[in-house]
Amino acid sequence: MEDTIAFDNPALDRLRKDFPGHHIWRSRRWDGRLGEYVATLIDPSAGVDATVMRPDPVELRAELMREAARARGSHRYLR
């Protein structure tokens, strides 16, 4: 499978830069088209859930911010 690094996607680049504790990529749908934005946890201090998937980079960013708060033990994150 071809990695999304081959695509010019500044949103992915920003997410990768801002959340280095996750491997961030785009999934592929059954038909070969790009699917959801995915963050796989690689640093346990950066989140709680092993994998987070959202349909767009804005929603993934919001969820990764909640994950960071959860990892810090903060009770102020929103659901």
Side-chain angles (χ1 to χ4, degrees):
M1 180 189 326
E2 179 179 331
D3 191 352
T4 57
I5 293 173
F7 295 95
D8 182 23
N9 192 332
L12 274 178
D13 293 339
R14 282 190 302 276
L15 284 166
R16 289 175 178 143
K17 179 178 175 267
D18 294 344
F19 299 97
H22 291 81
H23 174 68
I24 299 174
W25 49 286
R26 289 286 301 271
S27 66
R28 292 277 182 177
R29 296 168 20 131
W30 64 271
D31 59 5
R33 294 176 31 201
L34 288 174
E36 296 210 334
Y37 287 78
V38 182
T40 303
L41 187 64
I42 55 177
D43 177 0
S45 68
V48 177
D49 293 331
T51 303
V52 176
M53 298 174 65
R54 295 295 180 268
D56 64 61
V58 173
E59 289 184 36
L60 183 60
R61 176 176 294 280
E63 186 58 32
L64 290 175
M65 291 172 68
R66 284 189 286 272
E67 281 289 303
R70 290 176 66 200
R72 289 190 305 268
S74 172
H75 296 287
R76 299 188 57 146
Y77 62 88
L78 301 175
R79 261 292 167 203

